[in-house]
Amino acid sequence: RCSVNTFACRLVDHLNRYVQLRRSLGYSFKTQAATLRAFGRFVKRRGEAGLLTQHLVLTFVLGYQVTPNVRARRYGVLKNFAEYFAVFDSRTEALDPQVLPRSRAIPPARLLDEGELARLVEEASAGQDSELHQFPPSPFPQYEEIVGQPDEPFGQPRKN
């Protein structure tokens, strides 16, 4: 227990309150709570007397042999906590959300401007008559009578 109101003791107290708050909001918060508690132990061990900073968080997160994705998730948990903690300690640094991007993040969709879209449509239209878009002869001609050719509407009677 803390006998003096040090940074580490205040931080651990707020870590515990933050975990309780998140759980009261309906989150299970097990893995995140473990990360936060490990961070509290790390800060106490180091005897940190100062502020919650980007450097302190990165020192903790990068100090473990884990995958880049796990590092990014842990950093995200601590970034969210830092936003909460800043309400109580205005000297807390805002943590950069881009420092450890998730490696499996879905890339943003590429939006086409009107010129690019028109060019793509034109190229696709020009290629319709090429040999690349012709279907090869069917290896199962008996099914052509039932299904039809690929360029014929399905279910329409064949014209002979």
Side-chain angles (χ1 to χ4, degrees):
R1 284 288 176 204
C2 297
S3 59
V4 181
N5 190 14
T6 64
F7 167 72
C9 291
R10 281 185 315 148
L11 182 78
V12 169
D13 181 50
H14 283 286
L15 286 169
N16 291 328
R17 289 181 189 183
Y18 180 70
V19 169
Q20 287 175 343
L21 173 65
R22 296 299 296 232
R23 286 183 174 158
S24 73
L25 294 172
Y27 297 97
S28 65
F29 218 64
K30 290 178 184 176
T31 305
Q32 298 91 334
T35 297
L36 291 167
R37 289 194 179 102
F39 180 67
R41 289 188 302 273
F42 169 80
V43 170
K44 275 185 166 181
R45 247 189 345 267
R46 285 176 54 110
E48 289 293 328
L51 307 171
L52 179 53
T53 63
Q54 175 108 12
H55 177 73
L56 180 62
V57 170
L58 284 174
T59 302
F60 169 74
V61 169
L62 297 173
Y64 293 91
Q65 295 289 328
V66 294
T67 66
N69 213 36
V70 170
R71 275 190 220 111
R73 283 197 317 263
R74 288 179 180 174
Y75 180 82
V77 168
L78 291 166
K79 182 186 76 61
N80 291 339
F81 170 73
E83 292 170 0
Y84 165 86
F85 190 65
V87 172
F88 303 99
D89 186 346
S90 61
R91 301 169 302 158
T92 301
E93 284 185 11
L95 303 185
D96 182 359
Q98 300 301 316
V99 169
L100 296 173
R102 291 200 53 181
S103 60
R104 293 190 300 190
I106 298 170
R110 181 170 177 265
L111 301 177
L112 303 175
D113 63 29
E114 288 185 35
E116 288 176 306
L117 183 59
R119 184 181 54 77
L120 286 172
V121 168
E122 185 178 313
E123 287 178 11
S125 298
Q128 280 184 345
D129 296 329
S130 74
E131 290 182 20
L132 295 175
H133 288 79
Q134 300 298 318
F135 291 99
S138 172
F140 307 104
Q142 67 272 22
Y143 293 112
E144 286 180 18
E145 296 297 320
I146 300 168
V147 178
Q149 291 290 328
D151 58 345
E152 295 175 347
F154 182 75
Q156 298 292 322
R158 291 192 68 182
K159 297 176 186 172
N160 292 333

